[in-house]
Amino acid sequence: MTSTRDLESAAALFGNRFAVQDTPDRFFPEEGMTAVDAMRLVAEDLAIEGDPGRNLATFVTTWMEPEAQRLIAANLHRNFIDHAEYPRTAEIEQRCIRMLADLFHAPGETTGARTQGSSEAIMLGALSLKWKWRQRQQAAGRSSDRPNLVFGADVHVVWEKFCRYFDVEPRIVPLEPGKYTIGPDDVLPHLDENTIGVAAVLGTTFTGHRDDIVGINDLLVQVRTERDLDIPMHVDGASGGFVWPFLYPDSLWDFRLEQVHSINVSGHKFGLVYPGIGWLVFRERSDLPDELVFKENYLGKTDETFTLNFSTGSAMVIAQYYNLVRYGRAGYRYIMGNMQHNAHRLADKLEEIGRFEIIGRGEEQLPLVAFRLAGPEPFNEFDVAWQVSAERGWMLPAYTLPPDAQEVTIMRALVKETLSQEHVDTLARDIHEACDTLEKKGGAHESERARMVVGSGH
């Protein structure tokens, strides 16, 4: 009879002892294990995870150059918040902010912040709107008890989170079938002296289009002149902030518009950096209230912090700077152009199938394809997403739109840097074959539909 010690010795020599044992999953282990065992345990558990290369749902970067990965690995151990101890990292953060301010046409010297992602950047930007509104209200002798924020239903959920967490009334403009962004006529009825700002989206997660930022800016200028209400705009460029400057350089959406006072962008989306890194950039230094900046006497030196989080790694700040100097405007323009080319090719291929209509084709858009079934079929968009996943492993999101367009179901394929033209052709063919399968067998079974993941974030 083989002893436990003999089995463990054999496992150590020939493989992983967890090949025939339960993995720790509930109780804190009494004993540890060798580094090799721990590595194999985790690696083999993740081996059956989804493939990021076939994830057409996520906006988050899934590939970086080997040189960038080496820099990331070399800087994982530095705490970004310790500016006094790591002053070069702090300087690199400021370089990135200055470069983004230049990219977004800030009129002069300004400031901003590195964040964990656009969610934190939006929280900080919206807090700045609230504090500046309070200052205006107090200067005018008006109450500051009932702040409100205006935005469309096409925003990311973080905007509603901000309103709930920080006691601001959300004034949400509903969508309509066939109208999936907002403009000045939608915003106007919601503006009053208690409006801390208007949030406009540059590249929605639903269809990849932008709100009418120029029209909203013109409205806010008019309201400032005619009603003496200086209402700023924040542009949520989480996805679009690294796309529009390169694909649509003449399109006005940034600090060239006078009522745009702050912009957020996700470095870990089209900034081409692994998660998590986001950026908040202000039009002018005065747009960041002094009260929101904390001076910390930490580890014997004074640091200024403007964050919701505190300790965090330096690696992704370094990675963002690497990308900015590695690619420059020419490199980003080339990469975004390639993605746009392949998105257009995918749209062509899907139209050739004859079952789909492309949403908002010909408009300024992120490098993605938003589409839906063009007519009655014995299956729906959720069935197509399920079938193409079952047959080929593509993670293709299907979801209904927010109110009042909740009856509209669409699909979305995000075309990333690593999705080549050959991949695009293969994807279109796999979608076509999935539809053929569904036509023969009918839609997904109710038990399958109960397991479907829905939502634009999928």
Side-chain angles (χ1 to χ4, degrees), residues 118-168:
S118 273
S119 290
E120 183 186 5
I122 286 168
M123 293 278 187
L124 293 172
L127 278 172
S128 300
L129 293 178
K130 184 178 179 181
W131 252 251
K132 297 298 290 187
W133 167 80
R134 182 184 295 165
Q135 292 174 3
R136 295 194 299 272
Q137 291 292 93
Q138 291 171 347
R142 296 191 293 254
S143 170
S144 58
D145 294 337
R146 301 177 62 188
N148 68 71
L149 179 63
V150 179
F151 51 85
D154 56 333
V155 300
H156 189 276
V157 69
V158 68
W159 285 100
E160 294 185 61
K161 286 185 177 180
F162 165 79
C163 289
R164 187 176 302 179
Y165 293 168
F166 293 100
D167 198 23
V168 173

Side-chain angles (χ1 to χ4, degrees), residues 8-296:
E8 290 182 353
S9 297
L13 183 60
F14 302 119
N16 182 359
R17 64 188 173 97
F18 286 100
V20 290
Q21 292 181 19
D22 291 333
T23 59
D25 68 350
R26 182 177 178 185
F27 299 107
F28 202 104
E30 290 293 336
E31 308 241 347
M33 63 185 74
T34 67
V36 171
D37 272 352
M39 179 187 69
R40 292 193 61 173
L41 167 65
V42 177
E44 289 172 11
D45 202 6
L46 292 174
I48 58 174
E49 186 66 279
D51 177 8
R54 288 186 288 179
N55 186 349
L56 307 175
T58 182
F59 286 86
V60 174
T61 296
T62 55
W63 178 85
M64 291 190 74
E65 292 181 321
E67 294 81 1
Q69 295 185 43
R70 288 172 61 185
L71 280 171
I72 289 169
N75 287 278
L76 287 171
H77 62 305
R78 286 190 176 88
N79 187 4
F80 169 76
I81 206 68
D82 295 346
H83 297 330
E85 281 64 42
Y86 307 123
R88 301 316 301 166
T89 303
E91 166 59 21
I92 286 174
E93 176 212 25
Q94 292 304 308
R95 291 177 189 175
C96 291
I97 291 169
R98 291 192 292 266
M99 289 179 181
L100 290 173
D102 175 59
L103 185 66
F104 300 156
H105 297 95
E109 187 176 351
T110 186
T111 189
R114 166 250 166 249
T115 61
Q116 284 294 102
S118 273
S119 290
E120 183 186 5
I122 286 168
M123 293 278 187
L124 293 172
L127 278 172
S128 300
L129 293 178
K130 184 178 179 181
W131 252 251
K132 297 298 290 187
W133 167 80
R134 182 184 295 165
Q135 292 174 3
R136 295 194 299 272
Q137 291 292 93
Q138 291 171 347
R142 296 191 293 254
S143 170
S144 58
D145 294 337
R146 301 177 62 188
N148 68 71
L149 179 63
V150 179
F151 51 85
D154 56 333
V155 300
H156 189 276
V157 69
V158 68
W159 285 100
E160 294 185 61
K161 286 185 177 180
F162 165 79
C163 289
R164 187 176 302 179
Y165 293 168
F166 293 100
D167 198 23
V168 173
E169 176 196 350
R171 294 188 173 177
I172 305 174
V173 178
L175 305 184
E176 303 173 17
K179 184 176 182 296
Y180 310 131
T181 57
I182 66 168
D185 292 340
D186 306 304
V187 168
L188 179 59
H190 300 282
L191 302 179
D192 60 30
E193 67 180 26
N194 291 318
T195 302
I196 67 172
V198 176
V201 184
L202 184 74
T204 74
T205 58
F206 299 104
T207 66
H209 299 98
R210 63 171 175 83
D211 290 334
D212 182 359
I213 298 173
V214 172
I216 295 172
N217 175 79
D218 293 345
L219 168 67
L220 296 178
V221 171
Q222 180 182 351
V223 168
R224 186 186 66 199
T225 303
E226 296 179 356
R227 296 168 56 181
D228 194 27
L229 294 177
D230 189 6
I231 301 174
M233 177 164 36
H234 176 100
V235 173
D236 181 355
S239 296
F242 272 109
V243 173
W244 259 256
F246 307 111
L247 292 185
Y248 315 106
D250 297 325
S251 180
L252 297 179
W253 62 272
D254 55 16
F255 294 127
R256 287 171 289 182
L257 302 175
E258 59 186 291
Q259 289 303 112
V260 175
H261 282 231
S262 51
I263 299 171
N264 69 276
V265 64
S266 287
H268 61 224
K269 293 181 180 173
F270 292 98
L272 308 179
V273 179
Y274 291 140
I277 181 75
W279 301 96
L280 172 64
V281 182
F282 291 99
R283 180 186 190 86
E284 300 174 352
R285 286 185 176 274
S286 60
D287 288 309
L288 172 57
D290 292 337
E291 297 90 339
L292 293 181
V293 179
F294 284 80
K295 292 180 172 58
E296 296 282 344

Side-chain angles (χ1 to χ4, degrees), residues 320-352:
Q320 183 71 83
Y321 184 62
Y322 168 88
N323 275 0
L324 297 183
V325 299
R326 162 75 174 95
Y327 297 127
R329 291 176 185 263
Y332 273 102
R333 190 180 303 117
Y334 173 79
I335 293 168
M336 299 302 156
N338 285 348
M339 291 191 285
Q340 184 185 51
H341 168 84
N342 284 335
H344 290 167
R345 184 180 180 91
L346 177 59
D348 291 340
K349 295 286 184 180
L350 291 175
E351 283 186 330
E352 290 172 8

